[in-house]
Amino acid sequence: MAFAALACCSQAFSACDKAHAHPLIPGYHPDPSVCRVGNDYYIVNSSFQYFPGVPIFKSSDMKHWEQIGNVLDRENQLPLKGASSWLGIYAPTIRYNDGTFYMITTNVGNGGNFMVTASSPEGPWSDPIWLQQQGIDPSLYFENGKCYMVSNPDNTITLCEIDPSTGKQLTESRGIWQGTGGRYPEGPHIYKKGEYYYLLISEGGTEIAHSLTIARSRNIYGPYESCPRNPIFTHCCMAAQDSQVQGTGHGDLVEDTNGQWWMTFLAFRFYNGSYHHLGRETFLVPVEWDDQGWPVVNHGKPLQAVTKDTDFASLPQTSIANSAAKGFKTMGPEWVFIQNPDSTKYEHRGKTLRLHGSKSTLTDNDRPTFMGRRQQHADMTVSVGIDATLLKPGDEAGLTAYQIHDGHCELLVGRATDGRLYATVRYRMKTLEKTEETLWLDSPKQQLVLRATPEAYEFLCGKDAKSLKPLGSIAPQLMSTEVVGGFTGILLGIYATGTGSADFQYFDYTF
């Protein structure tokens, strides 16, 4: 018997409520930072406990984005020992100066603030250049041969000058703004427009009260005056209280080739009540400048559905292929591991991927044998082909919807102590665990299927598509950030635990 769906709260949202805005990069892609180099645009996102880290996307029209890699793809760049989705890589910033790309970020729990550099956004990126000034969400600003760094130690936006080649701090850290009084002033970015330096930050925390505020000064060190219309963008207001899109914040500004300004930012989408399970996603809105020189975000209105290309009319149109549905044959950059993987546990055998079980379970969170990709659509289906012949008694392997180490559910194939194979569905929500009834299998080769809607995850198993049997279902809201916590979103993946192995023939993601 499956868990019952959570009751909807007073502000309920469903797939058919009002027109909704669509994310630029859907699924767990939080804390976007954007920069333009020539006619191309680049976005990076935070990645927390996953390896490789900091996905990087490229576009030539700001509508169609292709993931071209991950900035941090070597263990010496990204140590993740013990990281959960509360730790690891927080908000990165990408900038370009004088022929070099810079990515600066925080590894919470494993080193603090650092930056890496590259001559090409595809990499390779350098080894970490560690930085003295701490606080999360660091950013860089270049001007007249100088490189400035801002971050938020002690809840104060703090500025210093650094040597971009060595990371050495050249001036003392100076607090320049504490925001407008909202909690957690963070995500600072500095820009120069006209005679003013503008300092854009987030306040209110990354939940419902998330907002963007801005201040300006004629001197980079301040004093900074607050915009009289702060916050310049938030959905924590009456005008947006019925929107599916909430938690808007953590923005970054960019000017396109035609002089139009834009802002990327994160937000999440509620489904069936005040719950979000896909994570914080990347959105884009236009920005104008008023007569007093202050930015006006999205025409001063909450985010609305994009029904035509009016706001994009000034941008050149280029179609870039979507890599979302790739499987084991190509292994695109969307595939990630939990923490730094043990490479001996993953064996490519032609078109088959063999996973060797580890002693760590998903709940143990100690480099489990796991590979996954972000769930980017509320309505989607994943089909996995598994051959469990090499599982040993006590082993298991299968398909998981994973939010955090103590918030996940899986359709698994296991081998009992008497040698028989079985399939079942298991749910884990903090200290609560439930396992569905066992289906005994007469073949080690099975198709595992997860059918997702905004209302349910339904798990099915069978020798082929015609023989699929439902084994259990759960409301996705029970895997949401509001219920099980974490700063990420659902990843859909395959895993193996124990001393044996399992072969996976395919992983098809369709929507």
Side-chain angles (χ1 to χ4, degrees):
M1 182 176 180
F3 279 99
L6 290 170
C8 292
C9 66
S10 58
Q11 293 186 10
F13 304 92
S14 69
C16 57
D17 286 338
K18 302 184 178 183
H20 305 316
H22 297 288
L24 187 70
I25 305 176
Y28 147 54
H29 293 98
D31 305 317
S33 175
V34 61
C35 76
R36 176 174 67 88
V37 181
N39 294 320
D40 296 319
Y41 303 86
Y42 301 93
I43 284 178
V44 293
N45 300 101
S46 53
S47 52
F48 295 90
Q49 79 271 40
Y50 295 108
F51 183 92
V54 187
I56 180 168
F57 295 83
K58 179 180 179 179
S59 175
S60 58
D61 62 7
M62 289 216 293
K63 284 182 62 178
H64 307 91
W65 293 82
E66 178 187 18
Q67 185 176 353
I68 58 174
N70 294 277
V71 172
L72 306 175
D73 58 6
R74 305 189 301 275
E75 187 168 351
N76 71 313
Q77 294 174 311
L78 182 55
L80 289 169
K81 183 176 177 59
S84 70
S85 65
W86 301 109
L87 301 173
I89 295 296
Y90 277 36
T93 295
I94 186 169
R95 293 293 184 258
Y96 177 82
N97 183 66
D98 195 23
T100 299
F101 287 87
Y102 296 81
M103 191 285 295
I104 183 172
T105 188
T106 311
N107 188 337
V108 178
N110 282 283
N113 287 335
F114 69 98
M115 64 182 179
V116 292
T117 63
S119 58
S120 168
E122 289 85 0
W125 291 77
S126 72
D127 289 343
I129 301 168
W130 297 98
L131 304 166
Q132 178 181 334
Q133 182 172 292
Q134 293 304 299
I136 62 170
D137 304 353
S139 182
L140 297 174
Y141 173 73
F142 294 89
E143 184 180 49
N144 296 328
K146 294 184 177 182
C147 176
Y148 298 91
M149 170 187 171
V150 281
S151 58
N152 77 333
D154 301 318
N155 285 316
T156 300
I157 306 305
T158 301
L159 175 73
C160 69
E161 184 184 342
I162 66 171
D163 182 332
S165 61
T166 66
K168 181 181 178 181
Q169 187 163 324
L170 303 178
T171 64
E172 66 177 5
S173 297
R174 293 175 54 178
I176 58 174
W177 199 39
Q178 289 187 309
T180 64
R183 66 174 184 164
Y184 307 140
E186 58 192 17
H189 296 299
I190 291 178
Y191 317 89
K192 184 74 176 292
K193 188 176 188 297
E195 61 187 42
Y196 286 106
Y197 295 94
Y198 288 87
L199 175 58
L200 177 68
I201 73 168
S202 295
E203 299 185 45
T206 189
E207 304 88 20
I208 293 294
H210 214 21
S211 64
L212 284 156
T213 59
I214 199 165
R216 70 185 182 186
S217 173
R218 288 183 171 89
N219 188 312
I220 195 169
Y221 284 102
Y224 281 81
E225 68 167 314
S226 178
C227 176
R229 289 184 286 98
N230 275 329
I232 59 171
F233 192 66
T234 184
H235 274 204
C236 189
C237 59
M238 186 177 295
Q241 65 182 359
D242 293 328
S243 174
Q244 183 197 29
V245 179
Q246 294 294 328
T248 55
H250 203 102
D252 198 5
L253 297 171
V254 67
E255 184 180 11
D256 71 22
T257 55
N258 297 304
Q260 167 70 51
W261 286 77
W262 303 85
M263 185 177 75
T264 58
F265 65 97
L266 71 79
F268 49 78
R269 291 177 289 170
F270 279 148
Y271 291 96
N272 292 308
S274 297
Y275 305 97
H276 74 281
H277 62 290
L278 298 186
R280 297 169 297 160
E281 306 172 293
T282 291
F283 289 78
L284 178 73
V285 287
V287 174
E288 301 155 329
W289 297 84
D290 67 17
D291 293 340
Q292 287 73 46
W294 292 107
V296 178
V297 179
N298 201 46
H299 315 297
K301 299 178 181 180
L303 186 64
Q304 300 296 330
V306 178
T307 57
K308 55 184 178 179
D309 290 337
T310 302
D311 288 332
F312 291 93
S314 64
L315 293 169
Q317 302 298 301
T318 300
S319 178
I320 295 180
N322 182 2
S323 64
K326 291 180 180 177
F328 298 126
K329 294 180 180 179
T330 52
M331 298 303 295
E334 67 270 23
W335 287 96
V336 294
F337 307 88
I338 297 172
Q339 303 165 355
N340 303 113
D342 178 351
S343 61
T344 65
K345 302 295 186 181
Y346 307 86
E347 183 183 355
H348 287 272
R349 300 170 63 87
K351 297 180 180 180
T352 297
L353 179 65
R354 176 168 293 179
L355 296 188
H356 300 286
S358 64
K359 64 179 181 180
S360 173
T361 67
L362 297 176
T363 302
D364 292 335
N365 196 44
D366 183 13
R367 302 173 74 193
T369 299
F370 164 94
M371 286 184 58
R373 51 146 298 158
R374 294 155 174 85
Q375 182 182 349
Q376 296 183 270
H377 309 84
D379 290 275
M380 46 72 58
T381 299
V382 165
S383 298
V384 172
I386 186 174
D387 183 342
T389 300
L390 299 180
L391 290 182
K392 298 178 181 179
D395 293 348
E396 65 179 61
L399 169 65
T400 180
Y402 181 94
Q403 175 75 252
I404 190 172
H405 67 279
D406 52 3
H408 50 87
C409 50
E410 42 268 350
L411 170 55
L412 64 94
V413 175
R415 190 176 292 279
T417 55
D418 63 5
R420 291 188 296 168
L421 289 171
Y422 64 91
T424 190
V425 175
R426 183 177 60 225
Y427 319 102
R428 178 79 176 194
M429 295 166 294
K430 313 309 283 186
T431 59
L432 299 177
E433 185 175 299
K434 175 180 172 56
T435 303
E436 298 283 13
E437 294 182 3
T438 295
L439 172 67
W440 296 102
L441 304 176
D442 58 7
S443 171
K445 295 182 178 180
Q446 297 290 320
Q447 183 176 4
L448 309 179
V449 175
L450 165 58
R451 292 175 181 164
T453 68
E455 292 77 29
Y457 283 154
E458 182 183 15
F459 296 95
L460 306 97
C461 178
K463 286 188 288 187
D464 51 45
K466 295 181 180 180
S467 62
L468 290 174
K469 296 180 180 179
L471 296 188
S473 65
I474 189 174
Q477 291 70 43
L478 293 174
M479 292 293 126
S480 69
T481 296
E482 287 75 16
V483 175
V484 297
F487 281 155
T488 59
I490 292 290
L491 264 72
L492 304 169
I494 55 176
Y495 77 100
T497 61
T499 58
S501 306
D503 290 328
F504 292 86
Q505 287 85 24
Y506 57 87
F507 183 107
D508 290 334
Y509 180 107
T510 57
F511 58 94

